[in-house]
Amino acid sequence: MTPSASAVSRSPAPPPGGGRVLAAAVPRRITVQKVASATAGRVTGLELEVVESGATRAGDIVVVEALEEKRVYDQLELTDGGLVHVAPGDVLAGALGARAALRGFVGHCPDMVHAGDVLHVLNLGGVIGVATSANTDYGLPLKVRVLGLAVRGGAVLSIRDGAVPPADALAAPCPTVLVAGTCMASGKTRAAGEIVRGLHGAGYRVGAVKLSGVAALRDTLAMRARGARCAVSFLDAGYPSTAGMDDLAPMAKGLLNVVTDRGVDVIVVEMGDGIVGGYGVESYYRDAELRAAITAHVMCANDLVAAWGACELTRAYGRAIDVMSGPATDNVVGERYVEDELGIAAANARTAGARLAGLVRTYCFPATAAK
């Protein structure tokens, strides 16, 4: 897969702060049919002003036309979380960004866009970029043709506008549950959801944060559906993904402070992708303040080798695992290995969600959990 000549940047997503003015550009109006969730509410109608070319940064909103129809990865998540099929000729608004999925697509944000450039839809949330690698299970990503870069009042429209700012420190420590995994599709979202459900059911006010990955609403919506009184993600901080980010800590502290301010008793943090990968997850562990704030550490492992490796790696990071979940605990074989050989409590989110939440509760609220 060869990038277009308006090629391409492999640099990490920039920090929040949009509003770049394109003084010389003359906009035209385009009617959009489908607005992707990655636009983070910045698109308020279907009539958009666009300019035909401009320098870009991750988070800028771009209008494109679908060039084909796919049988896999053929859907787009809208701003309300609903999914719709994408057909050739559909006009979409999405956010420029990167993806680095082991079991999915890899791509980056272009430095420039021009009307007519061919880009790709990198995920169902509508993150759009230049694809450089695909996965044989999914084929190639959906091709789209650039119609223009969205502007408002002469300035580039970006999800960085009005985003939650980063922070240097945690304002007020709150019991925090960190749910991480050895890889994507290791059961993290299911585990986080069951923990939210159990803590909410026990009467606690639960906040939720998705801190790494590529933008989509389904995880935060699932947390809300299970009882979280608020749920935010890196998208709220102005990032379409965390691919290529070397340090998530300032963004993480900003989002955690926002959730703490909403009067929660406990925060459940889900880290997308794996503790080794391209989304900066390890930088959460490297930050001493964030590491010290982990009250309960839940790891989701795909298999027993991954479970063993996660134990070794997180010890090196400075924070041991408290509870193991994921496919490695799907039956008694895995449970026995995790508990007897690794010395960690095992609780499968699909078959023992209440037990998983209960174990987490003993770490976060030992006094009340014992009653």
Side-chain angles (χ1 to χ4, degrees):
M1 199 176 289
T2 303
S4 67
S6 49
V8 186
S9 170
R10 292 175 175 79
S11 60
R20 299 187 329 279
V21 176
L22 300 176
V26 178
R28 63 188 179 96
R29 285 193 169 274
I30 288 182
T31 300
V32 176
Q33 295 166 309
K34 295 168 182 175
V35 180
S37 62
T39 59
R42 303 306 188 270
V43 176
T44 55
L46 297 180
E47 294 289 328
L48 288 180
E49 287 190 337
V50 302
V51 293
E52 291 195 348
S53 64
T56 62
R57 296 194 296 180
D60 290 347
I61 293 173
V62 65
V63 179
V64 299
E65 178 186 4
L67 294 177
E68 58 185 342
E69 188 168 32
K70 307 291 290 185
R71 287 191 294 176
V72 179
Y73 263 91
D74 64 316
Q75 292 184 309
L76 186 74
E77 184 187 69
L78 303 179
T79 54
D80 63 357
L83 296 175
V84 293
H85 177 73
V86 178
D90 283 350
V91 178
L92 319 172
L96 292 170
R99 191 179 184 191
L102 180 64
R103 297 180 180 176
F105 305 132
V106 179
H108 53 268
C109 179
D111 290 327
M112 296 277 298
V113 294
H114 304 277
D117 285 352
V118 175
L119 300 177
H120 305 88
V121 179
L122 299 177
N123 82 320
L124 68 82
V127 174
I128 295 171
V130 180
T132 56
S133 182
N135 184 292
T136 55
D137 290 336
Y138 304 123
L140 300 175
L142 178 73
K143 291 181 182 178
V144 293
R145 179 171 53 239
V146 172
L147 299 179
L149 192 62
V151 295
R152 181 179 295 154
V156 176
L157 194 59
S158 171
I159 68 172
R160 294 183 299 275
D161 303 329
V164 174
D168 294 328
L170 294 173
C174 179
T176 301
V177 182
L178 183 68
V179 181
T182 57
C183 183
M184 62 184 296
S186 60
K188 300 180 296 292
T189 299
R190 182 64 178 264
E194 291 302 315
I195 293 166
V196 169
R197 188 204 303 273
L199 293 175
H200 170 70
Y204 298 101
R205 297 169 296 181
V206 185
V209 184
K210 178 74 178 284
L211 272 182
S212 62
V214 62
L217 296 179
R218 59 183 179 180
D219 292 348
T220 49
L221 289 175
M223 291 173 177
R224 286 181 181 272
R226 286 163 175 77
R229 68 185 306 171
C230 59
V232 299
S233 79
F234 53 88
L235 187 60
D236 297 286
Y239 293 93
S241 82
T242 63
M245 287 183 65
D246 292 328
D247 188 6
L248 301 180
M251 178 193 70
K253 292 174 186 179
L255 290 172
L256 288 167
N257 287 344
V258 164
V259 174
T260 300
D261 286 345
R262 295 180 184 175
V264 299
D265 300 313
V266 58
I267 301 174
V268 178
V269 175
E270 181 191 347
M271 305 298 292
D273 194 50
I275 52 176
V276 174
Y279 288 98
V281 174
E282 65 278 6
S283 67
Y284 190 97
Y285 292 95
R286 287 201 308 264
D287 187 272
E289 186 179 28
L290 289 173
R291 191 171 62 245
I294 301 171
T295 315
H297 187 193
V298 178
M299 183 62 60
C300 296
N302 293 79
D303 55 40
L304 299 184
V305 174
W308 175 85
C311 288
E312 296 297 309
L313 191 56
T314 53
R315 286 195 190 103
Y317 285 159
R319 182 53 169 90
I321 298 164
D322 297 315
V323 184
M324 188 73 71
S325 191
T329 65
D330 274 355
N331 64 26
V332 68
V333 173
E335 289 177 350
R336 285 175 179 168
Y337 177 83
V338 168
E339 294 186 339
D340 296 345
E341 300 298 325
L342 300 181
I344 299 170
N348 188 274
R350 293 189 297 174
T351 60
R355 169 174 160 74
L356 174 60
L359 287 168
V360 167
R361 186 182 170 192
T362 63
Y363 283 95
C364 294
F365 306 103
T368 56
K371 295 180 180 179

